[in-house]
């Protein structure tokens, strides 16, 4: 049976995040040929609607309001519930991002619905779809099937490939007016501490440093390598606790979960809490002086050596390749 699927798009600094397009691809798989409706919430998101259509949405509903300029669960849940009541979909897809992880349980509670969170793979299509998600900090995976009622999932960034961009696709874009009121939370100021450049949670390449980096200055060659590879810089909790870098870079059970195509771990021992945040990376390269380091157990390629010797050699070789 075909389903109408609603997909929440996420905008950041005037552009849609990649996970929005990955969520549309997931929605296409579970719709069984039904309609995929994009949803955009914000204070100026109308201009982004066509991009969702180009990536596979059949039409888009936008809700614009001054209270939606910055995310709060109160405002976004009011706006999304208004869209839900209008559309009455059989399925909902969010990205498993900071916003999605906060908002999806609230919406599921309002709808008295189940929630399949952090989906990394979808097997089958339509009613036969089976959702695979990591459990026990990534040490195991479970397969989940929705048997009845509303299907509500969140998809982990960088795991479900988006559909090809088609600038020729067209679809209806409709604005819905929602009176966002009675907010219990007001954001007066946002102080950003994250680094500029590639978004860590969506990066295709991540270069991460641990306590073995030894200092804030020790992260500089790692940043150079990440920039050369078009990637993002990350860190273990140990490096953050030692004040080598900001906690916004932390990867692990109490930090960000990343699944890049390439993960380079430099000076990271491989504590289970860290590996919970990166073990599902497609290719893992570990650099550590200790040949018995736990990180080598999950690494596809291991380099036993001093990162301060290995990283400069990698930078030099990559520069050679890029100039040839």
């Amino acid at each position: 049976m075909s389903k109408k699927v609603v997909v929440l798009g996420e905008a950041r600094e005037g552009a849609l995040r990649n996970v929005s397009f990955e969520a549309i691809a997931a929605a296409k798989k579970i719709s069984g040929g039904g309609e995929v409706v994009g949803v955009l919430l914000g204070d100026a998101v109308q201009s982004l609607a066509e991009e969702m259509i180009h990536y596979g949405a059949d039409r888009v509903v936008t809700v614009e309001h001054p209270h939606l300029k910055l995310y709060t669960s109160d405002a976004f849940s009011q706006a999304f519930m208004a869209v839900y009541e209008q559309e009455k979909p059989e399925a909902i897809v969010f990205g498993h991002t900071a916003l999605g992880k906060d908002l999806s349980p609230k919406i599921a509670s309002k709808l008295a619905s189940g929630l399949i969170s952090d989906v990394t793979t979808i097997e089958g299509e339509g009613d036969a779809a089976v959702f695979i998600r990591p459990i026990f900090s990534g040490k195991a995976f479970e397969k989940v099937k929705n048997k009845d009622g509303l299907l509500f999932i969140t998809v982990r960034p960088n795991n479900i490939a988006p559909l090809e961009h088609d600038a020729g696709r067209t679809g209806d874009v409709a604005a819905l007016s929602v009176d966002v009121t009675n907010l219990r939370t007001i954001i007066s100021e946002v102080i950003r501490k994250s680094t500029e450049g590639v978004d860590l949670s969506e990066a295709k390449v991540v270069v991460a440093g641990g306590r073995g980096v030894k200092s804030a200055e020790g992260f500089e060659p790692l940043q150079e390598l990440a920039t050369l590879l078009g990637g993002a810089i990350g860190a273990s909790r140990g490096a953050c606790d030692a004040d080598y870098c900001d906690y916004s870079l932390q990867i692990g059970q109490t930090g960000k979960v990343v699944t890049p195509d390439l993960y380079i771990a430099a000076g990271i021992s491989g504590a289970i809490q860290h590996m919970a945040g990166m073990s599902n990376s497609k290719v893992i390269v570990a650099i550590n002086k200790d040949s018995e380091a736990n990180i080598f157990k999950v690494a596809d390629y291991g380099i036993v050596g001093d990162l301060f010797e290995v990283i400069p050699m990698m930078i030099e070789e990559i520069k050679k390749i890029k100039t040839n």
Side-chain angles (χ1 to χ4, degrees), residues 12 47 55 88 104 146 164 194 201 220 226 240 296 298 313:
R12 176 181 288 175
S47 61
Y55 274 98
K88 297 292 185 183
S104 58
N146 190 64
E164 275 198 41
S194 58
S201 62
E220 291 174 6
C240 296
F296 288 122
V298 297
M313 290 169 64

Side-chain angles (χ1 to χ4, degrees), residues 7 47 78 166 229:
V7 178
S47 61
Q78 285 183 43
D166 181 0
L229 295 172

Side-chain angles (χ1 to χ4, degrees), residues 7-125:
V7 178
L8 179 63
E10 283 192 44
R12 176 181 288 175
E13 296 178 359
L16 286 172
R17 299 186 65 186
N18 288 336
V19 70
S20 305
F21 311 133
E22 295 163 5
I24 292 171
K28 283 287 190 183
K29 289 200 75 171
I30 64 180
S31 70
E35 187 179 37
V36 174
V37 182
V39 177
L40 288 171
L41 312 177
D43 68 328
V45 292
Q46 193 80 9
S47 61
L48 304 176
E50 284 193 3
E51 194 72 356
M52 292 191 80
I53 293 169
H54 293 165
Y55 274 98
D58 296 303
R59 58 186 176 88
V60 176
V61 177
T62 64
V63 180
E64 294 185 329
H65 193 284
H67 289 329
L68 300 172
K69 180 177 182 180
L70 297 171
Y71 172 76
T72 63
S73 61
D74 277 351
F76 269 57
S77 61
Q78 285 183 43
F80 185 84
M81 286 301 297
V83 177
Y84 176 85
E85 292 300 329
Q86 173 182 282
E87 297 295 332
K88 297 292 185 183
E90 286 80 40
I92 300 171
V93 182
F94 285 8
H96 195 69
T97 59
L99 186 155
K101 285 186 281 188
D102 185 66
L103 184 62
S104 58
K106 184 162 189 162
I107 298 297
S109 176
K110 288 178 179 291
L111 296 174
S113 163
L115 174 62
I116 306 173
S117 63
D118 202 16
V119 171
T120 57
T121 308
I122 302 174
E123 293 181 347
E125 298 185 2

Side-chain angles (χ1 to χ4, degrees), residues 188-258:
S188 59
E189 184 182 10
V190 175
I191 300 172
R192 299 190 185 277
K193 296 187 73 176
S194 58
T195 57
E196 295 181 359
V198 181
D199 183 345
L200 179 58
S201 62
E202 294 189 343
K204 299 295 185 185
V205 177
V206 173
V207 181
R211 283 189 182 272
V213 176
K214 297 181 180 178
S215 66
E217 293 73 25
F219 267 88
E220 291 174 6
L222 273 62
Q223 181 65 70
E224 184 180 356
L225 179 60
T227 302
L228 268 174
L229 295 172
I233 192 81
S236 69
R237 177 167 180 168
C240 296
D241 286 345
D243 285 335
Y244 299 162
C245 58
D246 191 80
Y247 280 100
S248 63
L249 302 182
Q250 184 185 333
I251 295 167
Q253 195 167 19
T254 54
K256 291 182 172 69
V257 175
V258 297

